[in-house]
């Protein structure tokens, strides 16, 4: 049974903690990834970070519409370029969406589910989701990047930005 997404909680919650690096990629990490992918799909999201299911480890999963899923362990942004305004929403902050600044492109380094080093260069929604999920690993939510209250809106569940 896949874990439930944890919604926004007090400041001492796992969502606000810096997640730990994964020292060894074993079966339990692969199970965590499968569980996160199932949770992300059920919630209709394009990305999910382990702290969102209550696990304080540096693991993220992403799936862009029409593409294969990607899991990254110990992801690090090694390069960012440009800046643009995006509309964003988070599965852990239901009912809201907002406009924030994100990079135009990012390069992320990490490991795949077999421990192989991977490097991903992305732009568009994938770059946005990578920054969003890696923020989650540092206890940061997109609402922390909101510059003024008029940039945060209540949204209908069926519309608005992609959840991540
Ligand atoms: Ni999120």
């Amino acid at each position: 049974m896949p874990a439930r997404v944890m919604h926004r909680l007090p400041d001492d919650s796992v969502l606000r903690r810096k997640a730990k690096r994964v020292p060894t990629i074993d079966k339990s990490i692969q199970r965590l990834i499968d569980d996160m992918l199932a949770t992300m799909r059920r919630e209709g999201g394009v990305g999910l970070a382990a702290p969102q299911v209550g696990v304080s480890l540096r693991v993220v999963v992403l799936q862009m519409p029409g593409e294969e899923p990607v899991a990254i362990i110990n992801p690090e942004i090694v390069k960012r370029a440009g800046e643009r305004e995006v509309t964003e929403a988070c599965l852990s902050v239901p009912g809201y969406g907002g406009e924030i600044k994100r990079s135009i492109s990012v390069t992320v380094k990490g490991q795949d589910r077999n421990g192989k080093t991977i490097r991903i260069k992305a732009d568009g929604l994938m770059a946005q989701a990578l920054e969003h999920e890696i923020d989650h690993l540092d206890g940061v939510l997109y609402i922390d990047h909101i510059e003024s209250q008029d940039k945060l809106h209540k949204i209908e569940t069926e519309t608005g930005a992609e959840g991540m």
Side-chain angles (χ1 to χ4, degrees):
M1 173 89 182
R4 297 247 150 228
V5 168
M6 298 178 71
H7 292 157
R8 187 149 56 108
L9 293 166
D11 287 349
D12 61 350
S13 83
V14 66
L15 278 176
R16 286 307 198 179
R17 226 179 286 154
K18 197 172 159 72
K20 289 195 184 66
R21 278 183 71 83
V22 174
T24 313
I25 298 166
D26 56 15
K27 282 244 165 11
S28 74
I29 296 297
Q30 290 162 349
R31 265 199 304 272
L32 171 66
I33 287 169
D34 292 338
D35 189 74
M36 287 169 62
L37 286 168
T39 301
M40 177 181 71
R41 289 190 186 114
R42 197 192 53 230
E43 300 272 342
V46 295
L48 195 70
Q52 292 182 277
V53 294
V55 177
S56 198
L57 287 174
R58 302 187 81 82
V59 178
V60 303
V61 296
L62 303 109
Q63 187 164 23
M64 297 302 111
E67 291 190 24
E68 289 295 306
V70 179
I72 317 172
I73 298 157
N74 301 323
E76 273 174 70
I77 295 177
V78 292
K79 199 170 164 188
R80 301 175 195 261
E83 191 183 71
R84 65 186 185 119
E85 192 171 76
V86 295
T87 301
E88 197 153 310
C90 178
L91 296 171
S92 300
V93 189
Y96 288 88
E99 283 85 54
I100 61 165
K101 304 256 174 59
R102 289 289 188 197
S103 303
I104 290 172
S105 69
V106 296
T107 303
V108 171
K109 221 179 109 176
Q111 291 157 279
D112 71 7
R113 61 182 296 139
N114 300 311
K116 190 172 154 251
T117 298
I118 50 172
R119 201 179 169 90
I120 296 171
K121 184 166 188 222
D123 55 18
L125 182 61
M126 181 68 171
Q128 180 185 353
L130 283 165
E131 287 190 313
H132 181 110
E133 302 315 335
I134 293 169
D135 268 356
H136 270 304
L137 304 182
D138 293 321
V140 175
L141 301 175
Y142 82 91
I143 48 175
D144 301 333
H145 299 305
I146 295 270
E147 287 169 358
S148 63
Q149 277 311 306
D150 63 315
K151 302 233 176 197
L152 185 67
H153 323 283
K154 278 208 173 276
I155 53 166
E156 303 296 325
T157 44
E158 295 298 310
T159 62
E162 311 264 9
M164 44 182 88

